[in-house]
């Protein structure tokens, strides 16, 4: 009986390792390619003055850095024997800090894009002023600085134990709460709220335009079409972000809360 269990466990372990390796290789190829395409799209001439496009461009840049830096280092550590992550203390701290900071910043850039579309579709002129590119520059700088400051705890409390994990006890709980609430539930919830708010505003805008008798020029129609495309992209990005964050946050929370808990073999399966 135990022999059969051992064979089954070994088969499941090899299958899991194989699927993880394949998915990681696919992610490292498809992910950066998609980010580069987004960067090229949002740097096009007609979108250079769009604040929403600027937020999307910043999101793509940070996600590209996360995929390349985090993905390649993980691949080298788990499948090619280059275990620098679990051997070098400075690298462990630096990588944990950067991955935490860039992930937080990328998520809040999507929130800024949602807020931008909500404001730009408002009936109030004062709120629509939020969509100016100069304000986007200031908001982006603020988000980056805040994100780099509030995640400095990852550099302080991550260490080799003997693997690169957060300090057990209170900080492990704090880090799990941070990842779950501040880096996921809070921004994702706000993204959904502003997305729904944007849809309501967009309906009001369409009703107002349908009652207007003035003919739109070709340039005005082009601008409206571009804004509509950005709105669709923002809504799609918001929904995808929220859906992908659910399993990611669940796995991260489980991993960090149980990182220092002994487990039997079947517990991993």
């Amino acid at each position: 009986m135990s022999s059969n269990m051992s064979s089954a466990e070994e088969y499941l372990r090899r299958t899991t390792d194989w699927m993880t390796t394949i998915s990681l290789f696919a992610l490292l190829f498809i992910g950066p390619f998609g980010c580069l395409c987004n960067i090229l799209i949002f740097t096009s001439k007609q979108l250079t003055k769009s604040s929403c496009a600027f937020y999307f461009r910043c999101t793509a840049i940070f996600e590209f850095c996360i995929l390349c830096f985090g993905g390649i280092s993980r691949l080298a550590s788990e499948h090619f024997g280059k275990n620098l992550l679990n051997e070098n203390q400075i690298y462990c701290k630096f990588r944990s800090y950067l991955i935490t900071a860039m992930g937080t910043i990328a998520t809040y850039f999507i929130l800024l894009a949602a807020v931008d579309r909500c404001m730009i579709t408002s009936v109030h002129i004062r709120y629509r002023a939020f969509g100016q590119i100069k304000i986007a520059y200031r908001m982006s700088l603020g988000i980056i600085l805040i994100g780099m400051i509030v995640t400095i705890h990852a550099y302080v409390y991550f260490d080799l134990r003997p693997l690169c994990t957060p300090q057990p006890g209170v900080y492990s709980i704090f880090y799990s709460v941070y990842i779950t609430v501040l880096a996921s539930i809070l921004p994702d919830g706000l993204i959904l709220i502003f997305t729904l708010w944007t849809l309501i505003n967009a309906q009001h805008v369409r009703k107002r335009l349908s009652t207007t008798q003035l003919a739109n020029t070709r340039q005005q129609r082009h601008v409206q079409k571009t804004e509509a495309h950005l709105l669709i992209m923002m809504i799609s990005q918001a929904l995808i972000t929220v859906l992908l964050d659910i399993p990611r946050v669940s796995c991260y929370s489980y991993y960090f809360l149980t990182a220092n808990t002994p487990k039997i073999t079947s517990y991993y399966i």
Side-chain angles (χ1 to χ4, degrees), residues 46-257:
Q46 62 268 31
L47 294 177
T48 52
K49 297 297 180 66
S50 171
S51 53
C52 183
F54 178 76
Y55 293 136
F56 278 135
R57 185 162 66 246
C58 292
T59 302
I61 292 172
F62 277 96
E63 288 180 345
F64 178 82
C65 294
I66 293 172
L67 288 169
C68 290
F69 179 66
I72 291 175
S73 60
R74 179 185 170 189
L75 187 68
S77 173
E78 294 185 359
H79 302 287
F80 294 100
K82 305 295 183 180
N83 206 12
L84 186 64
L85 177 63
N86 295 317
E87 294 176 352
N88 188 290
Q89 183 186 43
I90 299 299
Y91 180 74
C92 163
K93 289 176 170 290
F94 187 67
R95 180 186 183 277
S96 301
Y97 168 62
L98 282 185
I99 294 299
T100 304
M102 290 191 294
T104 301
I105 293 169
T107 301
Y108 278 90
F109 265 121
I110 298 175
L111 174 59
L112 284 178
V115 175
D116 177 85
R117 290 299 88 187
C118 181
M119 296 296 103
I120 208 72
T121 55
S122 174
V123 296
H124 302 288
I125 298 177
R126 184 178 59 181
Y127 294 158
R128 292 203 296 269
F130 183 84
Q132 298 178 31
I133 191 66
K134 62 180 181 181
I135 294 181
Y137 292 154
R138 297 170 188 170
M139 295 294 294
S140 299
L141 180 61
I143 284 294
I144 292 173
L145 290 177
I146 293 173
M148 298 300 288
I149 293 172
V150 300
T151 56
I152 195 69
H153 56 82
Y155 184 87
V156 176
Y157 291 103
F158 268 76
D159 210 336
L160 302 178
R161 298 182 176 87
L163 302 179
C164 184
T165 56
Q167 179 177 306
V170 175
Y171 181 71
S172 290
I173 298 174
F174 167 81
Y175 190 77
S176 298
V177 171
Y178 170 82
I179 292 293
T180 305
V181 179
L182 294 180
S184 181
I185 294 177
L186 177 61
D188 289 350
L190 291 174
I191 287 171
L192 287 176
I193 290 173
F194 281 105
T195 299
L196 294 174
W197 195 351
T198 301
L199 291 174
I200 295 173
N201 287 344
Q203 289 181 347
H204 293 161
V205 170
R206 281 196 296 268
K207 290 178 181 179
R208 189 171 68 252
L209 290 176
S210 64
T211 59
T212 302
Q213 300 299 322
L214 297 176
N216 290 331
T217 64
R218 179 179 297 181
Q219 183 178 3
Q220 289 173 330
R221 288 196 297 269
H222 178 73
V223 171
Q224 291 174 1
K225 187 176 181 180
T226 301
E227 293 295 332
H229 287 165
L230 286 173
L231 177 60
I232 294 172
M233 293 178 67
M234 186 277 295
I235 295 173
S236 302
Q237 180 71 52
L239 293 176
I240 292 172
T241 300
V242 172
L243 290 175
L244 291 180
D245 267 353
I246 295 174
R248 179 179 69 88
V249 170
S250 300
C251 291
Y252 278 5
S253 299
Y254 169 79
Y255 174 76
F256 289 118
L257 285 173

